[in-house]
Amino acid sequence: MSEKPSYPGNTIMVRPDGPLICGSEINVIVQDAEGNIIAKEKEFALCRCGHSKNKPFCDGSHKERAVDMEQEFNDERGEALATPADELIITVKPDAMLLIKSPVTIFSRSGLSVTTRNKGALCRCGESKNKPFCDRSHSHCGFKD
């Protein structure tokens, strides 16, 4: 297996059939919808299969299920990054998506898919047809956190 790609600044790596690995040179802040900090570290594995018992964090539940979560993606909304961000801020929306509000490079572990965003919504129910991005499937599949 080849070495995973590396990018400066805030990053989100999409692991094949696994979690989103969110990292920052400063800190990743995971907060609730009201802005209360849930966790603050340099790196987190966030669930994208929808089955973790410790949402929004990955607990390895994807390994116990036949979950198909491709790592490669297309992003028609990619944009040039704004000025470098201090921290990667991820907001957990109740029974819904993860919102990003910081400049970030999103990439597949293989390195074949790469995009940059200043904001966006990521799937955490496991049902989006546009993974890793949210397509609002959570509102139809009954996702609860």
Side-chain angles (χ1 to χ4, degrees):
M1 179 182 299
S2 63
E3 191 173 314
K4 72 178 183 177
S6 178
Y7 299 94
N10 298 328
T11 60
I12 298 175
M13 180 178 63
V14 181
R15 296 214 32 218
D17 296 327
L20 299 169
I21 306 299
C22 306
S24 174
E25 294 170 354
I26 310 281
N27 276 309
V28 177
I29 296 174
V30 180
Q31 63 185 17
D32 64 18
E34 288 78 39
N36 300 309
I37 295 176
I38 299 170
K40 183 177 181 177
E41 295 288 335
K42 288 194 180 271
E43 184 175 277
F44 287 107
L46 298 181
C47 176
R48 70 181 186 116
C49 75
H51 299 290
S52 174
K53 305 275 186 293
N54 189 29
K55 294 178 188 86
F57 306 102
C58 176
D59 69 358
S61 291
H62 60 276
K63 296 175 187 175
E64 301 165 8
R65 299 175 177 266
V67 180
D68 180 27
M69 296 182 302
E70 179 64 42
Q71 68 175 316
E72 306 309 337
F73 58 87
N74 292 312
D75 183 17
E76 296 175 2
R77 296 183 181 180
E79 58 192 342
L81 293 178
T83 56
D86 291 332
E87 299 170 310
L88 175 56
I89 300 170
I90 300 172
T91 302
V92 180
K93 300 300 277 186
D95 301 330
M97 74 285 285
L98 300 168
L99 293 179
I100 309 164
K101 293 185 180 176
S102 305
V104 63
T105 301
I106 304 168
F107 62 98
S108 61
R109 184 181 173 116
S110 70
L112 296 175
S113 299
V114 180
T115 192
T116 51
R117 293 270 190 108
N118 294 296
K119 62 181 179 176
L122 300 174
C123 176
R124 68 184 189 113
C125 73
E127 299 296 321
S128 174
K129 302 295 185 257
N130 190 31
K131 294 179 193 97
F133 305 104
C134 177
D135 69 359
R136 303 195 47 80
S137 290
H138 57 269
S139 60
H140 306 292
C141 73
F143 176 72
K144 300 286 182 211
D145 57 5

